[in-house]
């Protein structure tokens, strides 16, 4: 399953570490310390291996999930275990909300679980968020090309989505606006920014860029900073049914790649304005998503 890319219909997390099988004798083994095999990163991890088959209310997350020794040699690493914990936490909340067992969530609310995970910023290979009809049918205007990628439900570029770029470049200080023919009731506005996942704007060499959570520092160690591509300041406003313009959110120090802003009202227009990035000299910002439901 790992080597085939983990293309599961119930994917709720992903892995990407090599098949890294250590000899059980550890330091006492005189030969090669491990057997290493390349994996197709990322590969999906299915929801079905995160709950018990015979204890109806029991979840698992981390290294105790249902997997073979070989699969565990890849999925055992901390970042993957953290994703499994988030998937189980969201699933447990869905189970509580609808009075279901873990298996009941699989049978009845799997799509809801996946949608909530992605809405909160989780990447599920090959999956995209479902965009509401209200968002798809609204007029979308702004001073930028390819505005429709802002409502394609994909919050980052990855080869599992093909070679297409799912972001657009927005001039700082310029508005992007959804306009509706009549007031529509909204619940949530979703934003996804470019957090430099490849760490191209981060300092240091290849090793420093990918091992930035250091256990030690030297005088020569580079000082890490916020990704320069990330939107730092933005404003989100809306026009009510009575014609009043209200501010739904505004910040000058955003630290998040994915933002969800409660709307909870009826509006005739919603406007997003990127104000700055963490690169002080930038004139534009790369944005993946600006959609609403």
């Amino acid at each position: 399953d790992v080597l085939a890319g983990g293309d599961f219909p119930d994917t709720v997390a992903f892995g990407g570490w090599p098949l890294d099988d250590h000899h059980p004798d550890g330091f006492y083994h005189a030969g090669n310390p491990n057997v290493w095999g390349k994996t197709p990163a990322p590969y999906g991890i299915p929801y079905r291996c995160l709950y018990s088959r015979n204890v109806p209310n029991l979840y698992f997350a981390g290294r105790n999930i249902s997997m073979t020794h070989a699969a565990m040699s890849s999925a055992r690493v901390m970042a993957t275990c953290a994703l499994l914990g988030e998937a189980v936490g969201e699933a447990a909340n869905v189970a509580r909300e609808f009075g279901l067992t873990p298996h009941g969530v699989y049978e009845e609310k799997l799509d809801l679980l996946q949608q909530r995970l992605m809405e909160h910023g989780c990447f599920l290979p090959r999956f995209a968020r479902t965009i509401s009809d209200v968002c798809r049918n609204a007029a979308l205007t702004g001073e930028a090309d390819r505005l429709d990628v802002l409502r394609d439900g994909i919050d980052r570029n990855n080869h599992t989505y093909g070679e297409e770029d799912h972001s657009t470049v927005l001039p700082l200080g310029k508005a992007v606006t959804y306009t509706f023919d009549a007031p529509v009731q909204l619940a949530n506005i979703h934003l996804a920014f470019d957090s430099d996942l490849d760490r191209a704007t981060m300092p240091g060499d290849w090793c420093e860029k990918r091992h930035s959570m250091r256990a030690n520092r030297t005088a020569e160690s580079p000082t890490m900073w916020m990704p320069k591509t990330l939107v730092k300041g933005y404003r989100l406003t809306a026009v009510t049914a009575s014609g009043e313009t209200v501010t739904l959110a505004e910040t000058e120090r955003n630290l998040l790649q994915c933002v969800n802003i409660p709307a909870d009202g009826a509006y005739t227009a919603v406007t997003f304005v990127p104000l700055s990035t963490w690169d002080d000299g930038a004139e534009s910002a790369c944005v993946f998503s600006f959609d609403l439901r």
Side-chain angles (χ1 to χ4, degrees):
D1 288 334
V2 170
L3 293 177
D7 188 5
F8 298 104
D10 57 332
T11 293
V12 291
F14 71 93
W17 193 258
L19 293 170
D20 182 16
D21 193 6
H22 292 238
H23 195 280
D25 287 345
F27 292 112
Y28 299 102
H29 177 59
N32 290 330
N34 69 326
V35 177
W36 186 91
K38 187 176 181 180
T39 58
Y43 60 85
I45 298 177
Y47 174 67
R48 284 165 293 167
C49 67
L50 305 184
Y51 60 89
S52 173
R53 64 183 298 177
N54 56 359
V55 180
N57 63 338
L58 182 60
Y59 274 113
F60 300 93
R63 295 174 178 175
N64 61 352
I65 70 171
S66 180
M67 57 182 167
T68 64
H69 176 87
M72 184 178 179
S73 72
S74 171
R76 62 178 170 78
V77 295
M78 287 187 291
T80 302
C81 288
L83 294 176
L84 298 174
E86 185 164 4
V88 163
E90 191 68 67
N93 188 53
V94 172
R96 176 205 57 79
E97 182 179 345
F98 294 95
L100 298 171
T101 63
H103 183 63
V105 173
Y106 171 75
E107 290 183 313
E108 299 182 27
K109 297 295 180 181
L110 176 61
D111 181 66
L112 175 66
L113 170 60
Q114 292 171 322
Q115 291 297 321
R116 285 187 177 179
L117 285 167
M118 289 186 288
E119 186 172 277
H120 296 158
C122 290
F123 165 56
L124 304 184
R126 305 174 186 87
F127 286 79
R129 291 179 299 103
T130 299
I131 301 301
S132 69
D133 290 338
V134 165
C135 184
R136 289 190 180 279
N137 295 330
L140 180 58
T141 57
E143 295 185 21
D145 298 326
R146 305 174 63 251
L147 286 177
D148 270 344
V149 301
L150 295 174
R151 52 182 171 185
D152 67 2
I154 297 176
D155 289 348
R156 68 196 69 198
N157 289 327
N158 186 267
H159 69 84
T160 59
Y161 299 128
E163 299 302 318
E164 181 184 353
D165 185 359
H166 294 276
S167 68
T168 191
V169 177
L170 302 180
L172 295 180
K174 301 295 184 180
V176 178
T177 301
Y178 282 105
T179 306
F180 315 106
D181 294 334
V184 295
Q185 186 71 31
L186 299 179
N188 185 77
I189 297 165
H190 180 88
L191 299 168
F193 305 128
D194 181 359
S195 59
D196 188 18
L197 289 172
D198 293 329
R199 302 185 180 178
T201 67
M202 304 302 286
D205 57 18
W206 183 92
C207 184
E208 293 283 0
K209 289 176 185 290
R210 283 154 180 78
H211 297 84
S212 53
M213 296 174 61
R214 300 180 61 92
N216 63 322
R217 286 191 63 83
T218 67
E220 293 77 29
S221 298
T223 299
M224 294 295 170
W225 51 64
M226 288 295 296
K228 292 186 175 182
T229 56
L230 186 69
V231 169
K232 181 180 181 182
Y234 65 86
R235 182 187 307 115
L236 190 69
T237 60
V239 179
T240 67
S242 63
E244 178 187 6
T245 298
V246 296
T247 300
L248 300 179
E250 186 168 10
T251 182
E252 295 180 353
R253 195 172 184 272
N254 173 59
L255 304 175
L256 301 175
Q257 183 266 342
C258 169
V259 183
N260 289 289
I261 296 137
D264 192 25
Y267 305 104
T268 59
V270 176
T271 296
F272 166 69
V273 182
L275 301 174
S276 62
T277 71
W278 285 89
D279 180 0
D280 291 337
E283 297 181 351
S284 60
C286 182
V287 178
F288 281 92
S289 296
F290 165 39
D291 56 74
L292 39 84
R293 58 172 174 82

